Amino acid sequence: MAQTAFAAKRRITLAGAAIDAVLALIKAVGGVIGHSQALIADAAHSASDLASDVLVLWAARIGAQPPDANHPYGHERFETAATLGLGATLLMVAGGFAYDAGMRLLQPERIADPGWLALSIACLSVIGKEAAYRFTMRVANCYDSDLLRANAWHSRNDALSSLVVIIGVLGALAGYPFMDAVAALA
Ligand SMILES: [Zn+2]
């Protein structure tokens, strides 16, 4: 049973990791081509998402191990610890997001270049991360895994962040430069 659950968790986490790897690559290339610091920073975020996928895989693997002499009650506490770690990084991500939006509001010249490149990449990001949220959440509920739920919520947070970028860029293209920052704060 534990092994079936682990196989399902591994499959879904690897799919999410593939999305994060592709997004990191596209954002890095787009950032270099478009000379966009915002995209490079976003690429770094996707790379850190990839790192948390690896953490989830590792914790799920240990959590699936049967009880042994050193751990007579099983290894589920490893999953709990990793879940707490994921929750903490999620808080940091949300905090960094608010800080960044605030800085842009105070210094309008720092508003990221509102180009079509940033817009297309943000659209890809919303689709990819929302998909990751949905399929990860389905498996999380199926096996009642808080570890996967935490990772799924992180994906949805990232999808929402990119959605805010889209609204801001569209606003800027329509001639409202401050909308970028306002949308980010919202
Ligand atoms: Zn993320």
Side-chain angles (χ1 to χ4, degrees), residues 20 45-46 48-49 52 90 93 129 154-155 157-158:
D20 287 329
H45 179 104
S46 288
S48 76
D49 288 346
S52 50
L90 187 54
V93 165
K129 297 305 282 189
H154 184 133
S155 293
N157 182 79
D158 289 348

Side-chain angles (χ1 to χ4, degrees), residues 29-78:
V29 171
V32 170
I33 292 173
H35 301 288
S36 165
Q37 291 237 322
L39 273 178
I40 304 247
D42 227 24
H45 179 104
S46 288
S48 76
D49 288 346
L50 196 55
S52 50
D53 294 331
V54 171
L55 172 74
V56 167
L57 273 179
W58 176 76
R61 178 187 220 109
I62 292 180
Q65 281 171 10
D68 57 32
N70 291 328
H71 307 89
Y73 302 107
H75 295 79
E76 269 148 30
R77 279 182 193 177
F78 282 95

